[in-house]
Amino acid sequence: MGNTTYGEDVVSATGDDSRSGSSSTGATETEKKAPWWSYIWDYDPGRSQEERLFVQRLDLGILSLLSLGYFIKNLDQTNISNAFVSGMKEDLNMYGNQLNLIDTAWTVGYVIGQIPSQVILTRIRPSVWIPTCELIWTMLTFCLAAAKTANHVIAIRFFVGLFESIFYPAAHTILGAWYKPSELGKRACVFHASSAIAGMFSGYLQAAVYTNLNGVRGLPGWKWLFHKRLAKHRMASIGRSPRSRLDRTVWKRVFSKWHVYLLTILYIDFINTGPSSSLNPLALWLKAQGYSNIIPTALYAVQLVSTLLLAVLSDALRSRPLPMTISTAGGFLASILLLLHAYPSLSIPTGLSYFAYFIYRLYVPFGPLSMSWANEICSSDAEERAIVIGVMNSVAYAFNAWVPLLSFPQKEGWQFKRGWAFAVGAFAFQFFITWVVWWMERRDRRRENRLHGDGAVLGEEVGERLEGREVVNVDVDVNVGKSKDVDIER
């Protein structure tokens, strides 16, 4: 709790009682067997009833609203892909790379809007900024129904991407401001899993519904005041700083650290390992074989289950890189098999081809876990955290505006020989960069422990040695772990 600096806004969850409790009580709590569900969801024996109820309200309020918003956006994205293989290609004469251009237009708008939006979030309340952009996005989405040519779709998708760009990085910034590391991975992946649910329901009627964040669950203002204090205490207990006034020094703080560079490279690689969002290789292959396009909805079931399982594993192990490596391994293996599948002369079994298409979706959990990791790595600086998340997403999609045009061009049909070869290399690099980030984070923690932890230990040791003695002059520098000018007189 050494990082706690919130003064009277922070109310200690334990107070002095935790230090004055008897050892027998502590032993009883330690020996208490953890329930079976502790391996699936949150379990913290030291958490108060008030905090448990508070986390439940966060899940029902913030998490559910963010997941609903992301569900609607991905329903829109997936509908473009489904429409293409269900008649839009023929009706709008899209026989070139128009589908790639539609994705590129959306991506350009998406890239332009993200970093300015993250900066705006440090000045304007999310409950004002996000609904404003959501309303404009909704109206633009309805305008797609009036499109008569591919160019109309391209133009509208640019503005859809521009106003949609605020949501994903803002959502992860908000989640990182409310949840602890033992809770964050699961919530980030539950949020992201809503995209898989949208994929499974993409054949149904699109519903664009928005509920205002203000007045959630009908709680009066005075009750939210107490929740704010508890929220500040929870974040202070893990060293995560609150939002403060944005100033010019934030840019120097952000770009003088390795965080923004390596985390951005990590996310660039993740976003660009496969085709653009509107291209579904399995759907294109099945269409070429004359089969229904309903089968690809099972891909999203695999994505949903794998995302939730790896989220639970990540929080249970208190580790991000290991589940992210498992995710990468699934994409790597699938890319190798799909590269072989692209060459009919190799004639791999049809069942193995289906297996490859399905396990390819294992790569998806890497994204929300990397965002959770970024929240934790930058936890000591709220402004850095907001900007780094924005830069990660924005720069990654800046590459996504043109990389899929080269790696997975629509004209190649369903084979994508060049694309799957590229994916194999991209996943191999993803293994590497994940563990580079892990090593850098571990190095920083060791340095911090030497600067703070060792100094504290030294102070305690000197105190023990001086007990019962007369001290003439003691000057202990606990910040650097060195003692100086120590003169002890018996």
Side-chain angles (χ1 to χ4, degrees):
M1 294 292 291
N3 293 327
T4 303
T5 58
Y6 296 100
E8 30 182 74
D9 276 343
V10 178
V11 180
S12 175
T14 56
D16 294 335
D17 294 340
S18 61
R19 291 186 292 270
S20 61
S22 63
S23 59
S24 60
T25 302
T28 303
E29 291 178 355
T30 304
E31 294 170 1
K32 184 179 178 181
K33 186 177 180 181
W36 64 269
W37 52 262
S38 65
Y39 299 99
I40 302 174
W41 203 245
D42 300 335
Y43 178 68
D44 185 355
R47 180 184 289 174
S48 66
Q49 179 67 13
E50 181 186 11
E51 186 176 359
R52 279 194 291 271
L53 292 174
F54 176 71
V55 174
Q56 290 175 10
R57 292 190 184 101
L58 289 180
D59 291 340
L60 292 173
I62 292 176
L63 182 60
S64 61
L65 285 175
L66 291 177
S67 298
L68 176 62
Y70 200 51
F71 168 84
I72 294 171
K73 284 174 173 51
N74 279 273
L75 192 63
D76 169 61
Q77 282 284 350
T78 312
N79 282 341
I80 292 287
S81 175
N82 285 341
F84 180 77
V85 297
S86 302
M88 184 174 75
K89 175 181 178 180
E90 293 77 13
D91 292 344
L92 299 184
N93 196 29
M94 297 170 61
Y95 292 99
N97 279 334
Q98 288 92 341
L99 188 59
N100 290 112
L101 293 175
I102 288 172
D103 280 340
T104 298
W106 177 88
T107 303
V108 170
Y110 193 71
V111 167
I112 291 173
Q114 286 188 53
I115 296 178
S117 171
Q118 288 294 94
V119 173
I120 290 171
L121 276 178
T122 65
R123 293 179 175 269
I124 299 178
R125 290 169 53 198
S127 58
V128 174
W129 175 242
I130 294 177
T132 301
C133 294
E134 292 289 88
L135 181 61
I136 298 172
W137 174 87
T138 301
M139 292 187 291
L140 288 168
T141 300
F142 286 142
C143 288
L144 285 170
K148 302 296 183 183
T149 68
N151 287 337
H152 290 165
V153 178
I154 291 170
I156 295 171
R157 291 296 290 175
F158 166 80
F159 290 103
V160 167
L162 181 65
F163 286 96
E164 185 177 333
S165 65
I166 66 102
F167 191 81
Y168 188 78
H172 279 288
T173 303
I174 291 169
L175 291 174
W178 290 94
Y179 289 104
K180 293 180 178 180
S182 60
E183 306 158 351
L184 181 58
K186 290 187 288 292
R187 271 68 180 192
C189 285
V190 166
F191 162 71
H192 200 276
S194 61
S195 66
I197 298 173
M200 289 190 288
F201 284 89
S202 61
Y204 302 110
L205 180 65
Q206 174 177 332
V209 180
Y210 181 77
T211 304
N212 200 311
L213 288 174
N214 292 326
V216 172
R217 302 191 57 78
L219 291 176
W222 67 269
K223 288 191 176 182
W224 282 112
L225 174 62
F226 291 106
H227 295 333
K228 183 177 180 180
R229 288 180 178 176
L230 178 58
K232 284 185 175 182
H233 168 70
R234 280 164 45 83
M235 294 300 100
S237 69
I238 58 171
R240 191 166 296 162
S241 67
R243 188 177 70 170
S244 61
R245 191 78 177 177
L246 185 70
D247 56 38
R248 295 179 181 178
T249 64
V250 68
W251 302 105
K252 182 178 180 180
R253 297 201 309 270
V254 169
F255 291 101
S256 63
K257 299 177 183 178
W258 63 265
H259 302 163
V260 68
Y261 303 105
L262 290 185
L263 289 172
T264 299
I265 293 172
L266 178 85
Y267 209 67
I268 289 172
D269 190 78
F270 162 71
I271 290 295
N272 294 282
T273 51
S276 57
S277 58
S278 295
L279 278 176
N280 188 321
L282 176 58
L284 294 175
W285 177 53
L286 291 174
K287 184 176 182 179
Q289 307 300 316
Y291 295 116
S292 168
N293 66 351
I294 297 176
I295 297 175
T297 58
L299 294 173
Y300 300 103
V302 174
Q303 176 182 327
L304 174 64
V305 173
S306 62
T307 299
L308 295 178
L309 288 178
L310 289 180
V312 170
L313 178 64
S314 178
D315 281 357
L317 297 177
R318 302 292 193 271
S319 169
R320 306 303 178 207
L322 182 57
M324 289 166 68
T325 299
I326 295 172
S327 175
T328 303
F332 182 70
L333 175 60
S335 298
I336 293 175
L337 294 175
L338 291 172
L339 179 59
L340 299 176
H341 169 68
Y343 291 88
S345 58
L346 298 176
S347 63
I348 68 171
T350 302
L352 189 58
S353 297
Y354 274 109
F355 172 76
Y357 279 118
F358 285 117
I359 67 164
Y360 176 70
R361 302 305 294 183
L362 286 175
Y363 92 94
V364 175
F366 188 96
L369 289 175
S370 61
M371 283 291 179
S372 299
W373 204 10
N375 264 308
E376 292 159 7
I377 290 173
C378 304
S379 64
S380 62
D381 189 331
E383 284 68 42
E384 182 200 13
R385 186 159 49 85
I387 292 173
V388 167
I389 288 175
V391 170
M392 285 171 64
N393 216 40
S394 180
V395 175
Y397 276 96
F399 278 83
N400 194 247
W402 57 272
V403 170
L405 286 170
L406 302 177
S407 56
F408 287 87
Q410 176 191 334
K411 290 182 178 180
E412 281 196 5
W414 61 266
Q415 289 94 345
F416 297 121
K417 297 175 183 178
R418 189 191 320 169
W420 295 122
F422 172 81
V424 171
F427 281 117
F429 180 75
Q430 195 165 281
F431 280 118
F432 171 74
I433 190 64
T434 299
W435 290 100
V436 168
V437 171
W438 170 82
W439 185 86
M440 293 294 289
E441 182 192 25
R442 188 183 181 196
R443 185 201 65 174
D444 285 356
R445 285 183 179 177
R446 285 178 172 176
R447 286 180 177 177
E448 186 176 351
N449 288 338
R450 283 198 296 267
L451 289 173
H452 301 291
D454 293 352
V457 170
L458 178 60
E460 292 174 3
E461 289 178 352
V462 171
E464 290 174 359
R465 291 174 185 172
L466 298 180
E467 187 175 357
R469 303 173 183 177
E470 181 183 354
V471 180
V472 176
N473 179 29
V474 178
D475 183 4
V476 180
D477 188 347
V478 297
N479 292 321
V480 298
K482 295 179 181 179
S483 62
K484 52 187 179 182
D485 300 332
V486 179
D487 184 9
I488 304 174
E489 190 175 292
R490 294 182 181 275

